[in-house]
Amino acid sequence: MRDHQPKVIHRKDYRAPDWLIPTVELHFDLHDVGSIVSATLQLQRNPEGDASVRDLQLDGVGLELLEIRIDGEELAPARYEVKANSLLLRDAPDQFALQTRVRVHPETNKALEGLYRSGSMFCTQCEAEGFRRITYFLDRPDILSSYRTTVAADAKQFPILLSNGNDVERGEGAEGRHWVTWENPFAMPCYLFA
């Protein structure tokens, strides 16, 4: 059950996003307790957005930020602020790669949104705004991105690893783990991510 009423959004109030995210790379490191999601978002200023807006606010719920970088360089604490439901980047460049690493807890996620456990399976449910429970993102339907997703987990406990797109790489890791990389070259909104 939701603890808040949804905000009514009217079409007449629509405003184009100030940034776009053409490509997304995700790496899920799944564990029984606490999982790590590493994300690289290629962001660029939207020519149809408001160029005077310098701060970028990304949606994020239930995420523990472990690392944040822009174009490979660690971001100074003064350049960002973690809020209850978002991540604010101050004075964001017009084009950059944002790398984040967050810890999520699918084993205790009872919202049935984002990444959660259902019995012995890890599942995702991103419609309508569940992607914000996976990583920091512009979680809105008009942001279309192509995804490259790697899923890593214990091979015996989780022999099948699925995501959107085509199976392009797979391999074995240390300590009985394995991984599969999926590439979806077609741009889609994040609510279709699985």
Side-chain angles (χ1 to χ4, degrees):
M1 185 170 174
R2 295 183 186 263
D3 55 356
H4 67 281
Q5 292 296 318
K7 179 182 171 189
V8 175
I9 301 172
H10 297 280
R11 189 170 138 186
K12 66 180 176 62
D13 298 327
Y14 174 79
R15 193 172 147 271
D18 298 317
W19 277 268
L20 302 173
I21 309 174
T23 61
V24 177
E25 288 189 34
L26 297 170
H27 186 280
F28 290 82
D29 195 4
L30 304 176
H31 295 276
D32 284 329
V33 177
S35 294
I36 304 296
V37 180
S38 301
T40 300
L41 313 178
Q42 296 295 331
L43 287 116
Q44 64 187 44
R45 173 92 39 198
N46 183 358
E48 296 176 12
D50 183 349
S52 69
V53 175
R54 300 308 310 163
D55 294 346
L56 170 61
Q57 184 162 305
L58 300 170
D59 302 302
V61 175
L63 308 175
E64 178 188 351
L65 183 63
L66 303 174
E67 187 176 321
I68 182 169
R69 297 175 179 276
I70 286 185
D71 294 330
E73 292 188 30
E74 189 172 345
L75 210 54
R79 292 280 316 279
Y80 68 94
E81 180 181 353
V82 177
K83 300 181 177 185
N85 295 317
S86 64
L87 171 66
L88 178 71
L89 298 178
R90 293 187 178 92
D91 196 26
D94 288 342
Q95 187 168 338
F96 63 102
L98 175 67
Q99 295 111 355
T100 58
R101 198 165 61 91
V102 299
R103 180 177 289 117
V104 295
H105 289 277
E107 71 279 3
T108 59
N109 178 358
K110 304 300 181 207
L112 300 180
E113 292 181 321
L115 178 64
Y116 63 95
R117 288 288 296 263
S118 178
S120 63
M121 289 179 32
F122 283 93
C123 304
T124 58
Q125 169 58 37
C126 296
E127 192 171 354
E129 296 178 335
F131 197 79
R132 63 188 65 199
R133 291 179 179 272
I134 293 174
T135 192
Y136 290 105
F137 204 77
L138 288 172
D139 193 355
R140 46 187 287 173
D142 55 352
I143 300 293
L144 303 179
S145 309
S146 61
Y147 290 80
R148 183 178 175 91
T149 305
T150 299
V151 183
D154 181 89
K156 286 183 182 174
Q157 193 175 2
F158 304 103
I160 299 171
L161 305 173
L162 297 174
S163 188
N164 300 85
N166 302 313
D167 175 348
V168 294
E169 287 182 77
R170 56 180 53 231
E172 303 299 320
E175 299 176 6
R177 295 177 66 77
H178 70 143
W179 56 270
V180 179
T181 298
W182 298 85
E183 190 165 43
N184 184 9
F186 303 105
M188 65 179 190
C190 64
Y191 71 82
L192 293 178
F193 178 83

